[in-house]
Amino acid sequence: MAYYYSELSHTFSEYLLVPGYSDANCVPANVSLQTPLVRFRRGDKAALSLNVPLVSAIMQSVSDDRMAIALAKEGGVSFIYGSQTIEDEAAMVRRVKNYKAGFVTSDSNLRPDQTLADVIALKEQLGHSTIAVTDDGTSSGKLLGIVTGRDYRVSRMAMTDRVDSFMTPLEKLITAPAGTSLKAANDIIWEHKLNSLPILDDDGRLLYFVFRKDYEQHKENPLELLDGSKRYVVGAGINTRDYEERVPALVDAGADVLCIDSSEGFTEWQARTLAFIREKYGDSVKVGAGNVVDRDGFLFLARAGADFVKVGIGGGSICITRETKGIGRGQATAVIEVAAARDEYYRETGIYVPICSDGGIVYDYHITLALAMGADFCMLGRYFSRFDESPTNKVMIKGSYMKEYWGEGSARARNWQRYDMGGAAKLSFVEGVDCYVPYAGSLHDNLMSTLAKIRSTMCNCGALTIPELQEKARLTLVSATSIVEGGAHDVLVKDQSTQ
């Protein structure tokens, strides 16, 4: 007969952390959020570690090269989505690895014959106030001018006005030649009181922008995650179908870590993919696997050679796997069991295989709960999809700005490789939805707030590191009434907009 679990399956919202003793040294400024990304042996250090315990999901609507650069600046890693051609994914990886800190490839570009309406539309889509005007409207065309908010007034101009009639032309711009160092570029910016400095090649083609704001932001990013060559660390998603072609292309492009993107990881298909990578590259290529929700699934992937294991099925905000198939497990219960299996495997083999909690994060404090329950880091989709740096459009819905967001199992993504179980090359039914999430602004500002909450909560538990949190954390299940009590209740909350 079928096996029945005696314990209920719980979510993060059903738990709270109980405060522990905090000494005078236990202040947020002293908290380290560094955590291993890949497996390591007892006594050694992980070949790759995160400076913050967050990675972005392997999704079309979340992780492209722009997100990867932005998150690496903050100390995390993006896994660029694999539901695209091998060539396109490898090109995204290359753009991250070739990115020079402070030198920004322009992604807001127009032709001179386009109109003010195009300027407004592009600004609303990407949120950038500096737009390059090039002969062909690409980021590498010949620079003809720049449009900023100071070049036009919507109330006094027609939407049909051509860009070349109001842009600041090249002859009035201060530029710098290829090979200019970042220090020299910043000196030019400060000397001439510029907001941006275009870097041009010998033919006048646009290479990069250097922005005044990036100098200040660089000083604010002491945790940026770099490889041995001072390039940003980037991950990439693969599947269990075309891995023999995709993996070599991504490795050649410079990907630091790969991850098998699949709705279910306890399969022969993942074992075959891991075996191929180990036979071809040994341990030099780092690759995560998943997803699993129990001890058996973790041990299977750890023994197959996974460098980390993702935990979670059906808990994502856009995932309807549980509705569609009746498969999954409460995220908190899954993390707790898999963390115990990881510790068991470490005791027996001396090999530590980090686990990633993937899905089920609704509030910032859920991240801290996941870490306390044993996760080494968390993978987030909805969280990152809300920011300027995600690849989706910003749109106005009922008077509020929103960002588009869709699941890899949705009809829009058509990522059949992620959900295929060895059958036909198509998406037989959807396991994800197409939706909107509230626009939240820049990644940096929001992430700083989230990390501040995590550090503060860790101090409440008397912990200065993630391993110490996992050792000292005390968790309690809460009743439905306790959850109500945890929010504002029995009061009339003032309307903040009137204060």
Side-chain angles (χ1 to χ4, degrees):
M1 63 178 289
Y3 177 80
Y4 292 88
Y5 287 86
S6 58
E7 297 292 330
L8 289 175
S9 181
H10 296 289
T11 66
F12 292 133
S13 289
E14 296 176 79
Y15 283 92
L16 287 175
L17 284 156
V18 176
Y21 171 73
S22 302
D23 61 28
N25 188 52
C26 204
V27 295
N30 293 337
V31 171
S32 169
L33 295 178
Q34 191 173 69
T35 190
L37 177 60
V38 297
R39 68 163 58 203
F40 60 92
R41 291 188 175 276
R42 184 181 287 112
D44 294 339
K45 290 183 62 176
L48 284 173
S49 292
L50 299 165
N51 289 330
V52 299
L54 303 175
V55 301
S56 67
I58 312 169
M59 300 175 66
Q60 295 174 12
S61 56
V62 178
S63 299
D64 63 355
D65 48 311
R66 187 164 170 240
M67 176 62 73
I69 291 168
L71 187 50
K73 286 180 180 179
E74 308 295 340
V77 167
S78 279
F79 285 87
I80 290 175
Y81 69 93
S83 52
Q84 58 179 321
T85 67
I86 295 172
E87 294 74 20
D88 287 347
E89 187 179 10
M92 284 190 179
V93 170
R94 285 194 182 91
R95 285 198 288 273
V96 178
K97 300 308 290 187
N98 292 335
Y99 179 88
K100 299 178 181 178
F103 291 87
V104 180
T105 301
S106 176
D107 60 0
S108 294
N109 312 285
L110 292 174
R111 300 186 311 275
D113 61 339
Q114 291 183 268
T115 66
L116 176 59
D118 295 314
V119 171
I120 300 302
L122 191 59
K123 184 178 179 181
E124 287 185 354
Q125 177 186 345
L126 298 176
H128 298 158
S129 58
T130 299
I131 298 174
V133 183
T134 60
D135 60 348
D136 58 2
T138 70
S139 61
S140 58
K142 285 193 174 183
L143 185 67
L144 303 178
I146 288 177
V147 173
T148 71
R150 293 179 302 214
D151 293 313
Y152 60 89
R153 292 182 69 178
V154 174
S155 61
R156 297 190 179 186
M157 297 170 62
M159 286 294 167
T160 54
D161 287 356
R162 285 172 53 117
V163 167
D164 56 7
S165 70
F166 59 85
M167 69 182 186
T168 301
L170 178 62
E171 55 267 24
K172 292 186 178 181
L173 296 174
I174 294 173
T175 65
T180 301
S181 69
L182 184 58
K183 182 180 184 306
N186 281 314
D187 287 343
I188 294 171
I189 287 173
W190 286 98
E191 179 183 349
H192 295 277
K193 300 180 180 179
L194 306 175
N195 287 323
S196 64
L197 176 70
I199 308 295
L200 309 181
D201 68 10
D202 293 340
D203 296 323
R205 293 187 176 277
L206 180 62
L207 296 175
Y208 310 104
F209 275 111
V210 177
F211 292 98
R212 174 190 290 264
K213 64 179 178 62
D214 285 349
Y215 172 82
E216 298 165 353
Q217 198 173 77
H218 179 69
K219 294 298 183 182
E220 296 173 359
N221 295 330
L223 297 178
E224 60 184 358
L225 199 61
L226 305 173
D227 66 14
S229 301
K230 304 297 182 183
R231 303 174 301 175
Y232 286 127
V233 173
V234 60
I238 61 174
N239 60 69
T240 58
R241 282 288 184 163
D242 63 8
Y243 56 86
E244 292 186 2
E245 296 80 34
R246 191 174 293 268
V247 170
L250 295 174
V251 171
D252 289 343
D256 298 279
V257 57
L258 307 175
C259 185
I260 303 172
D261 182 30
S262 176
S263 63
E264 217 283 271
F266 196 0
T267 72
E268 181 182 345
W269 309 107
Q270 294 221 1
R272 288 184 185 182
T273 305
L274 292 168
F276 166 81
I277 293 171
R278 292 294 168 246
E279 289 168 10
K280 185 174 179 64
Y281 298 102
D283 292 329
S284 64
V285 170
K286 307 302 181 184
V287 56
N291 287 19
V292 300
V293 293
D294 64 2
R295 173 182 181 275
D296 293 341
F298 170 83
L299 293 176
F300 173 81
L301 291 176
R303 291 164 181 160
D307 283 295
F308 65 86
V309 174
K310 286 203 298 163
V311 182
I313 294 176
S317 61
I318 41 68
C319 183
I320 56 172
T321 294
R322 296 181 193 174
E323 282 184 34
T324 305
K325 296 168 61 177
I327 291 287
R329 200 176 195 190
Q331 188 67 10
T333 300
V335 169
I336 291 168
E337 179 170 324
V338 173
R342 176 207 53 207
D343 294 344
E344 172 191 338
Y345 186 77
Y346 181 50
R347 288 192 299 270
E348 292 178 354
T349 66
I351 298 172
Y352 188 92
V353 180
I355 63 172
C356 167
S357 178
D358 178 18
I361 302 294
V362 180
Y363 304 108
D364 287 349
Y365 82 89
H366 288 171
I367 298 171
T368 317
L369 282 172
L371 298 173
M373 291 172 179
D376 295 280
F377 55 98
C378 296
M379 178 172 279
L380 307 175
R382 182 195 59 85
Y383 178 88
F384 288 113
S385 71
R386 304 170 300 143
F387 302 146
D388 289 322
E389 293 81 0
S390 74
T392 62
N393 294 322
K394 183 174 76 170
V395 295
M396 182 77 77
I397 303 292
K398 296 181 179 179
S400 298
Y401 278 116
M402 311 288 281
K403 290 277 281 187
E404 295 178 306
Y405 181 45
W406 60 90
E408 289 298 293
S410 67
R412 182 170 182 172
R414 296 190 179 279
N415 184 6
W416 64 269
Q417 296 98 329
R418 186 178 201 275
Y419 296 87
D420 176 58
M421 295 293 288
K426 64 179 182 179
L427 195 65
S428 301
F429 53 88
V430 297
E431 294 187 45
V433 298
D434 193 343
C435 58
Y436 299 102
V437 291
Y439 167 67
S442 75
L443 181 150
H444 175 77
D445 293 343
N446 284 275
L447 188 60
M448 290 303 99
S449 175
T450 297
L451 296 177
K453 294 174 187 177
I454 294 172
R455 293 187 178 102
S456 179
T457 305
M458 288 174 62
C459 287
N460 291 145
C461 297
L464 292 176
T465 66
I466 292 173
E468 190 177 10
L469 173 67
Q470 293 166 351
E471 178 185 341
K472 291 184 174 181
R474 297 182 297 162
L475 296 110
T476 180
L477 279 166
V478 296
S479 68
T481 306
S482 295
I483 294 173
V484 173
E485 182 185 57
H489 61 91
D490 301 316
V491 294
L492 178 62
V493 179
K494 293 181 180 179
D495 182 357
Q496 298 298 319
S497 63
T498 63
Q499 296 184 39

